[in-house]
Amino acid sequence: MKIAVASGKGGTGKTTVAVNLAARAGLRGESAIYVDCDVEEPNGHLFLKPEIEEIRRVEIPVPVIEDEKCNSCGECGKICHFNAIAMILDKVLLFPELCHGCGGCFHACPTGAITESPRDVGKIESGKAYIDAPDGRKVVEFIHGVLNLNEAMPVPVIRDIRKMIPEKKWVVIDAPPGNACSMVETVRGSDYALLVTEQTPFGLNDLELACRTVKELDVPVGVVINRSGTGYTGVSEFCAREGIEILAAIPESMEVARIYSRGDIIVNESGQFASVIDGLLKKLEERTGSAR
Ligand code: SF4
Ligand code: SF4
């Protein structure tokens, strides 16, 4: 089952929840994969410390113009939604960094003046993370994408990651924060979206936006409150009003903060945190109908 872990903004504990869900499932001996689609700032690897076995480049096709064949008709500029190609006087100008590689201009050109050339936008690394359990080492499969520096095109990397995800009992996908295209591309087609939030007015505001986006994707949604216990009730009231289930509340804890700051896997060391994650796994199994 594919569980996308998302949040309206960064810093809510999304990666902590995603990493520890995958790790705990792996520790229980179940097939699990952690997939980091937060390609602009992937950091799940800092905790899982995977051994990378394969690296694939991600390229998009960008147009190249053959001036001799171009009749300056301007059709390429008209079809480009991203202003990556435009007519200036009677000359075609290209802005490759804006190009999404959609192919529209190649097809629109009536004279065959446009050909494709690949542009490297990032890479996908995959391998295995080994987690020590009392009865031996357990494996969690690992995939993450890394967008090239100064590159503004995360969606092609996310799209390629999604094509690589193998069937596992637990596919835990760490989504990019926010509500933009990259979050939508990550959550689309998942069996369930877990939205991680915090009990503050800012947390509520971002949660409302994220819920609206996920509901449009027709993916069932539930909430995890991280660092709960602030006394602010706006988040619970919103969830009750919207009929959104709060699947878990993770209390603020110095122990958890210490383990996190060392870059370690929290379920390995904190019994209290592990039991919250166990409860979450159980509810996810029930809500997605994958309970045995
Ligand atoms: S491939 Fe698509 S995005 Fe790129 S220049 Fe052509 S129409 Fe625009
Ligand atoms: S569509 Fe083709 S022929 Fe027309 S301006 Fe663009 S490159 Fe030139």
Side-chain angles (χ1 to χ4, degrees):
M1 96 184 87
K2 287 195 185 84
I3 308 293
V5 184
S7 66
K9 68 179 183 71
T12 53
K14 172 182 62 68
T15 294
T16 304
V17 171
V19 161
N20 284 279
L21 267 179
R24 189 66 180 169
L27 280 169
R28 297 194 323 192
E30 291 168 1
S31 71
I33 179 164
Y34 168 83
V35 182
D36 198 346
C37 285
D38 188 358
V39 300
E40 288 175 77
E41 213 172 332
N43 54 18
H45 65 287
L46 301 174
F47 302 94
L48 286 167
K49 304 172 182 65
E51 289 176 9
I52 298 299
E53 295 166 345
E54 194 188 337
I55 302 176
R56 294 188 197 184
R57 301 304 314 177
V58 178
E59 294 174 338
I60 60 170
V62 295
V64 176
I65 314 291
E66 275 183 65
D67 288 340
E68 312 75 60
K69 291 190 183 168
C70 175
N71 65 8
S72 307
C73 68
E75 292 303 318
C76 49
K78 279 188 219 153
I79 203 161
C80 183
H81 296 301
F82 308 101
N83 301 320
I85 190 165
M87 288 297 299
I88 306 291
L89 301 176
D90 60 350
K91 189 108 183 91
V92 180
L93 278 193
L94 259 176
F95 304 94
E97 66 287 357
L98 299 179
C99 174
H100 284 53
C102 71
C105 56
F106 306 113
H107 297 294
C109 179
T111 67
I114 302 182
T115 53
E116 294 179 336
S117 161
R119 183 163 73 82
D120 180 279
V121 292
K123 64 180 174 181
I124 297 172
E125 297 180 323
S126 57
K128 291 186 177 64
Y130 294 95
I131 297 166
D132 292 323
D135 57 346
R137 297 189 95 193
K138 297 280 163 65
V139 172
V140 172
E141 304 276 337
F142 178 93
I143 302 179
H144 77 176
V146 186
L147 195 65
N148 286 352
L149 223 56
N150 300 325
E151 181 57 62
M153 223 63 73
V155 169
V157 182
I158 294 169
R159 214 171 273 150
D160 279 12
I161 294 176
R162 297 215 54 143
K163 286 186 210 148
M164 285 174 61
I165 299 176
E167 283 295 319
K168 294 276 163 197
K169 172 158 187 213
W170 290 100
V171 177
V172 181
I173 307 173
D174 199 344
N179 307 290
C181 315
S182 48
M183 183 272 220
V184 169
E185 186 63 33
T186 303
V187 175
R188 189 200 308 277
S190 299
D191 297 307
Y192 201 89
L194 263 189
L195 296 180
V196 182
T197 189
E198 53 195 16
Q199 272 176 317
T200 63
F202 296 118
L204 172 60
N205 183 53
D206 292 313
L207 177 66
E208 285 173 335
L209 296 173
C211 279
R212 208 174 301 152
T213 306
V214 173
K215 279 189 167 176
E216 275 171 28
L217 297 172
D218 211 18
V219 172
V221 63
V223 163
V224 173
I225 298 177
N226 192 26
R227 296 186 282 267
S228 68
T230 62
Y232 177 74
T233 57
V235 171
S236 340
E237 286 161 12
F238 166 75
C239 290
R241 214 166 44 240
E242 294 290 316
I244 297 167
E245 188 179 12
I246 298 176
L247 295 178
I250 302 170
E252 178 85 70
S253 150
M254 280 306 290
E255 182 196 23
V256 165
R258 260 196 302 273
I259 303 167
Y260 174 88
S261 64
R262 286 202 310 267
D264 288 333
I265 293 170
I266 301 166
V267 289
N268 264 357
E269 299 185 38
S270 164
Q272 191 195 15
F273 191 85
S275 70
V276 173
I277 296 295
D278 278 343
L280 190 50
L281 286 168
K282 187 162 184 294
K283 283 186 184 166
L284 287 168
E285 282 179 321
E286 290 166 0
R287 302 307 178 264
T288 57
S290 59
R292 282 180 289 190

